Amino acid sequence: MNNLRHIAIIMDGNGRWAQARGLSRSEGHRAGSKQVEAVVDAAIAEGVEVLTLYAFSTENWNRPRLEVETLMKLFAEYARHSLDGLQRRGIRLRVVGRMDGLPMLPRMALNHAIEATQKNAVLTLNIALNYGGRAELVDAASKVVAARMKSGDSSPVTEEEFAAALYAPDLPPPDLLIRTGGELRISNFLLWELSYAEFYFTEVLWPDFGPAELHAAIEEFGSRQRRFGKV
Ligand code: IPE
Ligand code: IPE
Ligand code: MG
């Protein structure tokens, strides 16, 4: 049986879910954010250690202003309203992405929840917010360059040194990537970390993705043969 420590999910399809019901895209995001709790609980029940959720990409700023504002409001609300539940269930909240690029409200609420939950150990809920895989790689490169300038070391950079400069070097890489909403692409998500992840794509739209769908993805993952370049 494959070891499953970390699941990463591209939560896609909120807009189409809303459109199919004659609702606004913002209402789709609201429905999508309501799904998070059930999926987090299901991940805990499945024994997963880390759940990374792609909530907002560095490219998503190019959406209509009202939609972006709704999303930022939802992130702040999530951080405030879910804090008690996170504590009760022993969930540690983390964020990967350029947090300093977020508006003050979500940034402060999220930082508060991150700090308050940092000792929890049942599951790490890692939200990718204002996250871009390319941004993460150039941010890591900048960190390595700055450290090298200080130390004067000019030996070749190793993979270990580079990996230590990524956003969450303490977390294991995703074993399983799930994308809801039917698109077959990774949209600038975890470019380094997904190197040996198993990919699972489903047509199910994010607001319809629940514990049963998560279980189906995990079953499929269990049947994959992971080789990591070996025979
Ligand atoms: C994913 O749903 C949520 C975010 C990207 C913030 P979308 O809003 O991309 O939904 P579709 O792809 O338009 O249906
Ligand atoms: C990926 O979805 C980003 C998130 C789910 C946060 P998008 O809807 O932004 O991706 P594209 O534009 O279809 O590639
Ligand atoms: Mg989309």
Side-chain angles (χ1 to χ4, degrees), residues 12-14 16 25 63 179 183:
D12 196 24
N14 294 348
R16 281 163 284 165
R25 295 183 56 84
R63 294 187 175 203
R179 182 173 186 140
E183 310 292 359

Side-chain angles (χ1 to χ4, degrees), residues 143-157 161:
K143 261 201 234 171
V144 170
V145 168
R148 289 301 191 105
M149 301 255 269
K150 228 172 138 186
S151 69
D153 180 358
S154 62
S155 63
V157 175
E161 180 183 7

Side-chain angles (χ1 to χ4, degrees), residues 36-98:
V36 169
E37 188 170 314
V39 174
V40 169
D41 281 339
I44 292 174
E46 301 277 359
V48 169
E49 287 170 49
V50 184
L51 179 66
T52 296
L53 300 178
Y54 200 6
F56 194 85
S57 76
T58 48
E59 288 71 38
N60 288 149
W61 294 109
N62 299 316
R63 294 187 175 203
R65 204 182 60 152
L66 183 69
E67 182 175 350
V68 171
E69 281 174 6
T70 300
L71 284 163
M72 293 301 145
K73 227 189 274 166
L74 282 173
F75 300 141
E77 261 172 42
Y78 177 81
R80 263 187 275 118
H81 295 163
S82 65
L83 184 52
D84 283 350
L86 293 175
Q87 298 292 38
R88 218 176 318 110
R89 292 177 288 157
I91 297 166
R92 174 172 71 151
L93 186 71
R94 294 272 294 264
V95 168
V96 286
R98 290 181 170 164

Side-chain angles (χ1 to χ4, degrees), residues 13-35 66-67 70-71 74 206-207:
N14 294 348
R16 281 163 284 165
W17 183 92
Q19 195 179 24
R21 285 161 181 75
L23 303 170
S24 69
R25 295 183 56 84
S26 293
E27 286 171 286
H29 295 312
R30 212 163 273 287
S33 79
K34 287 209 185 100
Q35 255 335 76
L66 183 69
E67 182 175 350
T70 300
L71 284 163
L74 282 173
W206 174 252

